[in-house]
Amino acid sequence: MKFNNSPIGIFDSGLGGLTVFKEIRNILPSEDLIYFGDTARVPYGNKSKETIIKYSSEILEFLSVKGVKIVIAACNTSSSLALDDLRKKAAIPVFGVIEPGAKKAVRVSPSGNIAVIGTAATIKSRAYSTAINKEISFLTIDKNLKTNNHTKIIEKACPLFVPLVEEGIINEEITKSIIKYYLSSLIAEKPSCLVLGCTHYPILKGLISAELGRDTEIIDSGVETAKAVKYYLEENNMLKKENKNGSELFFVSDDIDKFKELGGKFLKRPIENVYLTDGIK
Ligand code: DGL
């Protein structure tokens, strides 16, 4: 296929999508990757559906012009509210992060309560509940898997998590207190798993896990998305045909230095090749 050696496009409202980027890099070391972080307009999680579709569509256009073979909306907010629209507009496959996370949650927890945390926009859209219920019906009907019809899905918006992560306020007492504040009502429901329904949240995973305790498995949608993308590229004969290490290019809509500094913490290594784009307003 002529697109094999084209890059993979990955985008987020800011830095959070780097958690997905990291998983894609680990699982697909030869692929060329182009990341776009809309750092001038983050956060998306408190914006309207119309605005999120507009911003996401502009980024899709930007990445398409760069010649990517697929696009990954490495942002739960964009995946919840703009994915259908992006798929209609795009000439290439567009992946979101909701479905892979929802599928994993049902497999891990076929009969227990499932908790989901995300931005206000993601939770309001109920995209996870819809995807989880769809997967439960699919497994019950088609695979005869025993699921408990009474599985409860508890969704909770945690709007302060994104600014804490974007500001690099991670291992601080204030962060622990805010995590406790948001999670206490979920813990009372004794969920058997909790989906990190925002790509910023894996950065807080250690603290979230400490608060939840051992009986609740944490699901990172980014990890599941990377596996789904790899499977798709293999099945469609779209993997890069060269074995050398893939290249990396990063574009941001604001403040290269801050992206390099904080992004380096996300990837746990220095970030090179970051460019300010004038292509996005
Ligand atoms: N990282 C994004 C997500 O996964 C959202 C952050 C934001 O509010 O922009 O939802």
Side-chain angles (χ1 to χ4, degrees):
M1 183 179 274
K2 67 182 170 138
F3 287 132
N4 281 51
N5 290 345
S6 302
I8 294 173
I10 303 169
F11 79 87
D12 179 47
S13 55
L15 291 149
L18 289 174
T19 59
V20 181
F21 181 98
K22 190 166 159 238
E23 300 304 333
I24 296 278
R25 174 47 79 224
N26 284 343
I27 206 169
L28 294 166
S30 314
E31 294 293 327
D32 297 331
L33 306 179
I34 300 183
Y35 182 88
F36 182 90
D38 200 359
T39 48
R41 304 190 291 197
V42 67
Y44 283 10
N46 57 8
K47 298 198 168 63
S48 68
K49 179 173 180 172
E50 292 68 32
T51 300
I52 293 162
I53 289 177
K54 178 176 177 292
Y55 291 174
S56 304
S57 303
E58 287 171 6
I59 300 169
L60 171 69
E61 172 67 19
F62 176 85
L63 290 171
S64 300
V65 170
K66 297 273 175 233
V68 298
K69 59 185 171 188
I70 61 164
V71 167
I72 304 167
C75 172
N76 288 264
T77 309
S78 183
S79 299
S80 302
L81 295 154
L83 195 63
D84 291 345
D85 205 83
L86 295 180
R87 283 182 170 155
K88 278 183 205 141
K89 286 177 181 145
I92 48 174
V94 183
F95 289 81
V97 287
I98 306 283
E99 202 182 286
K103 283 187 171 170
K104 175 75 176 181
V106 176
R107 276 167 177 79
V108 161
S109 180
S111 58
N113 290 344
I114 296 174
V116 180
I117 54 174
T119 64
T122 297
I123 299 306
K124 189 175 163 215
S125 76
R126 301 195 50 81
Y128 270 101
S129 289
T130 307
I132 289 168
N133 283 325
K134 196 168 151 195
E135 186 62 11
I136 288 176
S137 330
F138 171 72
L139 289 178
T140 312
I141 297 163
D142 292 353
K143 304 268 175 193
N144 207 15
L145 187 104
K146 270 203 162 47
T147 55
N148 174 354
N149 289 335
H150 302 295
T151 292
K152 194 164 156 193
I153 305 162
I154 318 127
E155 295 196 73
K156 174 102 183 160
C158 304
L160 290 175
F161 285 3
V162 169
L164 286 171
V165 171
E166 289 277 330
E167 292 304 319
I169 306 169
I170 314 291
N171 286 311
E172 306 291 339
E173 283 310 314
I174 187 172
T175 312
K176 290 181 192 162
S177 304
I178 291 170
I179 288 174
K180 195 187 246 331
Y181 170 78
Y182 283 130
L183 298 192
S184 55
S185 61
L186 293 181
I187 291 170
E189 302 281 353
K190 300 193 187 339
S192 47
C193 70
L194 173 130
V195 182
L196 299 175
C198 172
T199 52
H200 283 68
Y201 297 178
I203 298 299
L204 302 173
K205 188 173 172 182
L207 296 180
I208 291 173
S209 170
E211 189 58 33
L212 285 170
R214 287 201 189 147
D215 293 340
T216 307
E217 182 166 340
I218 297 190
I219 293 168
D220 180 345
S221 294
V223 173
E224 301 312 313
T225 303
K227 288 184 204 158
V229 166
K230 183 177 184 206
Y231 179 77
Y232 178 89
L233 294 178
E234 280 169 353
E235 286 298 296
N236 291 280
N237 191 24
M238 284 173 75
L239 285 169
K240 191 173 161 194
K241 296 285 184 215
E242 288 166 22
N243 241 348
K244 60 176 193 193
N245 284 347
S247 64
E248 297 177 356
L249 268 179
F250 300 87
F251 292 92
V252 290
S253 48
D254 194 25
D255 205 339
I256 290 184
D257 291 339
K258 188 175 171 195
F259 182 83
K260 278 188 171 173
E261 191 201 322
L262 277 175
K265 291 184 183 159
F266 273 63
L267 296 187
K268 299 199 169 56
R269 61 178 163 90
I271 296 193
E272 312 288 342
N273 302 327
V274 185
Y275 301 94
L276 191 64
T277 175
D278 51 8
I280 306 273
K281 284 161 226 119

